[in-house]
Amino acid sequence: MLLASALLAGLASLVVAEPLLTAKALLDGSPALPLGLHRRLRIQEQVASKGAEGTGWPSSSEQLSFSSPDEGHDYPAHTFNQLVSHDPAVPPPQPNATFPQRYWFDASYYKQGGPVILLDGGETDGAGRIPFLRQGILRILSEATGGIGIILEHRYYGSSFPTTSLSTDDLRFLDTRQSLHDSAHFARTVELPGLAHLNLTAGGSTPWLYVGGSYAGAKAAFARKLHPDVFWGAIASSAVTTAIVDFWQYYEPIRASAPADCIERLAENTALIDSLLSLNSSLVTPSLKSFFGLSNVTADADFVNALALPLGSWQARNWDGTVGSSRFDAFCDALTGNTSSLSTPARPIDAALLEGLDGLALPKDPRKTLASMSTYAAYVKEHIAALCPPDELQDACFGTDEYSGDGLDEYEWKSWAWQFCSEWGYFIGAAPEGTPSLVSRLLTLEYTGKICGKAFPPGKLNTGVSSMPAVHKINQWGSFDLAHSRLAFVDGSEDPWLYATPHSPIAPNPHRKDTLRRPFKLIKGGVHHWDENGLPPGRKEPREIAKIHRAEVEFVQSWMREWRERGRWRWGVGTGAEDGEGREVARWQ
Ligand SMILES: *[C@@H]1O[C@H](CO)[C@@H](O)[C@H](O)[C@H]1NC(C)=O
Ligand SMILES: *[C@@H]1O[C@H](CO)[C@@H](O)[C@H](O)[C@H]1NC(C)=O
Ligand SMILES: *[C@@H]1O[C@H](CO)[C@@H](O)[C@H](O)[C@H]1NC(C)=O
Ligand SMILES: *[C@@H]1O[C@H](CO)[C@@H](O)[C@H](O)[C@H]1NC(C)=O
Ligand SMILES: *[C@@H]1O[C@H](CO)[C@@H](O)[C@H](O)[C@H]1NC(C)=O
């Protein structure tokens, strides 16, 4: 609180320019999380979203299209009494204890016989998914099938907490399996307000479909496999079905798809900076850090970690410019000598640095390399270093040693950190020797994994994290090979998470046959779950997006035909009367 009010006082000048990084992008794409910087960005965004009203200037939190809770006002949040634990090995404080789990729904397209389509909120505030209900995948599928769209918030995110803190002990009910059981229990027992007279629960006369993107996409796939009697079908978008400890391949789709000259300059700069740092010179190192505007970042690894932050903006790209970010382009412009994103001219490389460079083998065109380093440094100074207020120590912003805080308001970074430390891995860092790296070789697993020991010391009921995430707990469900009837995989060819999905170039079979029953689709040029957002009626989607949305409607309609023909029969539910032909349109909200 003290921090918050102190910062608020000095922020006015900082919220003028569009920040390079959003708090969300920092969580998604930084090798090690600089928590101090994350906290500052959150506060700035809160200030900006209040201040931006009426200025016509998009606030940074509006840019966080998928996680802006303010957009929730049209759809009231409801709560479901969810079991605190579904796992007898981790008993709740009282038998059958429950907590309120939030959900939102839209039944305005419902027709008798239509499906319930459950969208897993994943590792964010569920309210941030409301655009998918209003005009995205839930709306598209509901309209096409006479269905009801529901967003279910994930336990330990947003406002759905089974505990009162995020201490290691209190995190004991957070794992992927528990949250999959949440969805199944919800589907089997929920009574939607105003719709209690309809038989909507799963296992009866209504088919349930599960959709999600990214981590939630993997959950959609797992849910179809582990609870086939509850979920009739699932769409797993950018589904990271394979948990991977050392996920250096995060950068491979960027390396393959970003402009070649930009990638070449970046790899060159990265290698040069590593060489300069390895001189371990008391002249060169300070001069290098200072050149990038980060002179007071003490640890060399924290310095190069800060240099990696702009790469997080690749994932934030979207086909809809109003929800995506074009910051990656500005970063590449700077690397390739286009200074239009710089407000001050790049400085020439100073004497101490030149002396350091002198002893190194420079790339074939040293002038080009040095020019690129100058504009790159100017960019980092202006867009990264400047994120830290002048009256704040740079180590307090860019340091990666401090991960304290057990309050529920820490969930944005801490709940997912618990999940990746305990089960998922996905430590993002340098490529192995022999592969060009877009980030420094100082970004080792040891460095990026530090957060786990620091944030989760052993508790009394929960021993904390083991030395390695237990990725087998996830990968036992099929990993790259996970397949099931009426389970669709939709990926993006330029998604930094591609290598963790069934379309991964390192999967045994990344070119499965694409059928109505087992759809297997790759959006050309697509990034992260690009099929989940849509446009308001009347606006035209780009060709690739319109195409995937048409395909999704087509295969879901075929799954619905299958349900009417044999699904309910197979499940031993009464036949006859309501055979899904109902034309009555109910308008509920
Ligand atoms: C807990 O729920 C189960 C299943 O509904 C029930 O059988 C059991 O009696 C409940 N226990 C208590 C203490 O309420
Ligand atoms: C709901 O299901 C019950 C039991 O399966 C059945 O008796 C009842 O007729 C159904 N109601 C509707 C409206 O379909
Ligand atoms: C770098 O130099 C310092 C002294 O200036 C020394 O203590 C340290 O061990 C050196 N590190 C490496 C990796 O050589
Ligand atoms: C680094 O620290 C010194 C001494 O506190 C301060 O004068 C200087 O402004 C700082 N530089 C940056 C870039 O933060
Ligand atoms: C520099 O970048 C800006 C913004 O992306 C672009 O409009 C401009 O054409 C670029 N200039 C050159 C010389 O490429």
Side-chain angles (χ1 to χ4, degrees):
M1 277 296 103
L2 210 60
L3 169 75
S5 43
L7 269 167
L8 290 179
L11 273 176
S13 61
L14 284 167
V15 298
V16 179
E18 180 191 11
L20 168 89
L21 271 178
T22 60
K24 173 79 165 57
L26 194 63
L27 291 178
D28 284 341
S30 42
L33 173 66
L35 183 56
L37 182 59
H38 172 72
R39 290 189 166 133
R40 279 166 184 79
L41 291 176
R42 280 304 286 137
I43 294 165
Q44 282 184 29
E45 284 163 13
Q46 280 155 11
V47 172
S49 68
K50 288 195 191 92
E53 279 165 33
T55 64
W57 217 85
S59 75
S60 54
S61 66
E62 278 163 357
Q63 302 272 320
L64 297 178
S65 52
F66 306 138
S67 59
S68 165
D70 326 316
E71 294 181 31
H73 44 254
D74 288 353
Y75 295 94
H78 303 278
T79 57
F80 172 75
N81 292 328
Q82 184 61 265
L83 291 168
V84 169
S85 182
H86 307 271
D87 179 356
V90 193
Q94 296 87 35
N96 296 353
T98 62
F99 70 98
Q101 184 173 21
R102 284 200 301 180
Y103 68 94
W104 298 260
F105 73 98
D106 186 346
S108 51
Y109 306 104
Y110 181 65
K111 292 184 187 149
Q112 199 187 353
V116 174
I117 309 160
L118 180 74
L119 184 131
D120 188 314
E123 75 287 17
T124 64
D125 185 326
R129 305 302 193 191
I130 285 174
F132 300 160
L133 186 60
R134 183 184 293 122
Q135 62 190 44
I137 190 69
L138 284 177
R139 151 107 182 234
I140 292 167
L141 296 178
S142 297
E143 263 192 298
T145 59
I148 296 177
I150 303 185
I151 297 162
L152 179 62
E153 187 161 77
H154 195 294
R155 58 169 57 210
Y156 286 93
Y157 294 89
S159 310
S160 298
F161 294 95
T163 56
T164 53
S165 94
L166 298 178
S167 67
T168 306
D169 275 343
D170 274 349
L171 284 165
R172 71 190 181 283
F173 304 114
L174 177 55
D175 65 35
T176 305
R177 181 136 220 169
Q178 289 270 17
S179 79
L180 284 165
H181 277 293
D182 284 349
S183 302
H185 182 57
F186 177 86
R188 282 200 196 97
T189 58
V190 71
E191 254 187 29
L192 297 179
L195 305 178
H197 58 291
L198 301 171
N199 282 340
L200 290 176
T201 52
S205 54
T206 299
W208 278 60
L209 308 175
Y210 203 126
V211 304
S214 193
Y215 159 66
K219 279 185 63 192
F222 299 149
R224 174 71 186 120
K225 173 168 178 154
L226 299 176
H227 299 286
D229 52 333
V230 178
F231 300 106
W232 176 247
I235 304 179
S237 180
S238 291
V240 290
T241 54
T242 302
I244 299 172
V245 176
D246 181 356
F247 191 53
W248 63 272
Q249 294 100 334
Y250 179 88
Y251 296 117
E252 286 297 272
I254 307 180
R255 200 162 69 88
S257 306
D261 54 342
C262 167
I263 291 305
E264 200 179 320
R265 295 285 89 74
L266 180 59
E268 239 168 50
N269 273 293
T270 302
L272 268 187
I273 290 165
D274 274 356
S275 301
L276 288 169
L277 289 172
S278 68
L279 297 173
N280 197 20
S281 150
S282 59
L283 289 176
V284 175
T285 299
S287 152
L288 176 68
K289 289 179 181 172
S290 158
F291 195 52
F292 282 83
L294 295 165
S295 51
N296 293 339
V297 175
T298 309
D300 291 355
D302 288 342
F303 167 63
V304 292
N305 187 57
L307 299 187
L309 299 182
L311 290 167
S313 57
W314 180 265
Q315 181 176 333
R317 294 157 66 231
N318 192 274
W319 56 268
D320 180 356
T322 67
V323 304
S325 151
S326 58
R327 294 176 192 92
F328 192 88
D329 299 339
F331 173 59
C332 269
D333 284 347
L335 272 165
T336 52
N338 179 339
T339 53
S340 64
S341 65
L342 302 176
S343 59
T344 51
R347 280 192 304 145
I349 294 184
D350 68 24
L353 257 190
L354 276 177
E355 206 157 301
L357 287 165
D358 209 26
L360 305 176
L362 284 184
K364 53 185 182 304
D365 188 350
R367 269 208 334 204
K368 206 169 175 181
T369 308
L370 296 185
S372 168
M373 187 181 268
S374 292
T375 45
Y376 177 32
Y379 182 89
V380 169
K381 192 169 184 172
E382 210 170 285
H383 295 270
I384 299 288
L387 295 172
C388 192
D391 56 347
E392 191 59 69
L393 293 177
Q394 286 190 323
D395 277 341
C397 291
F398 298 105
T400 54
D401 278 318
E402 198 273 317
Y403 294 104
S404 61
D406 284 345
L408 295 183
D409 54 347
E410 307 283 345
Y411 86 86
E412 270 182 61
W413 68 271
K414 199 171 186 184
S415 294
W416 180 242
W418 168 256
Q419 293 200 256
F420 71 68
C421 287
S422 55
E423 291 187 320
W424 287 86
Y426 295 145
F427 299 105
I428 296 171
E433 290 298 337
T435 305
S437 190
L438 302 191
V439 299
S440 166
R441 308 246 175 231
L442 293 179
L443 300 178
T444 59
L445 203 51
E446 189 188 3
Y447 173 75
T448 54
K450 256 186 333 183
I451 183 172
C452 299
K454 288 179 188 291
F456 308 110
K460 289 200 187 74
L461 302 165
N462 188 0
T463 54
V465 290
S466 49
S467 60
M468 277 288 159
V471 291
H472 65 271
K473 288 191 180 165
I474 303 301
N475 294 335
Q476 63 174 334
W477 296 325
S479 181
F480 288 131
D481 285 330
L482 178 52
H484 210 94
S485 59
R486 295 185 301 277
L487 166 57
F489 286 107
V490 177
D491 291 309
S493 65
E494 300 189 3
D495 188 351
W497 293 96
L498 182 69
Y499 277 70
T501 71
H503 277 96
S504 170
I506 54 173
N509 181 12
H511 307 290
R512 296 182 200 176
K513 210 166 145 205
D514 170 32
T515 64
L516 278 180
R517 222 154 181 261
R518 294 170 185 242
F520 197 67
K521 313 252 176 218
L522 190 65
I523 304 172
K524 225 167 74 191
V527 187
H528 208 41
H529 53 77
W530 271 19
D531 61 321
E532 288 205 289
N533 58 303
L535 293 177
R539 281 183 57 200
K540 204 165 138 64
E541 292 173 342
R543 208 168 55 93
E544 282 295 315
I545 301 305
K547 187 171 137 195
I548 188 68
H549 284 156
R550 267 198 313 274
E552 289 176 313
V553 163
E554 188 191 0
F555 64 67
V556 167
Q557 283 175 337
S558 88
W559 298 351
M560 288 303 295
R561 277 196 298 278
E562 202 178 334
W563 168 266
R564 289 192 294 266
E565 281 156 19
R566 64 177 206 98
R568 288 189 294 165
W569 168 80
R570 203 183 61 132
W571 282 0
V573 177
T575 52
E578 0 69 56
D579 223 20
E581 294 300 313
R583 312 232 176 259
E584 257 173 71
V585 184
R587 295 242 155 226
W588 316 94
Q589 185 110 340

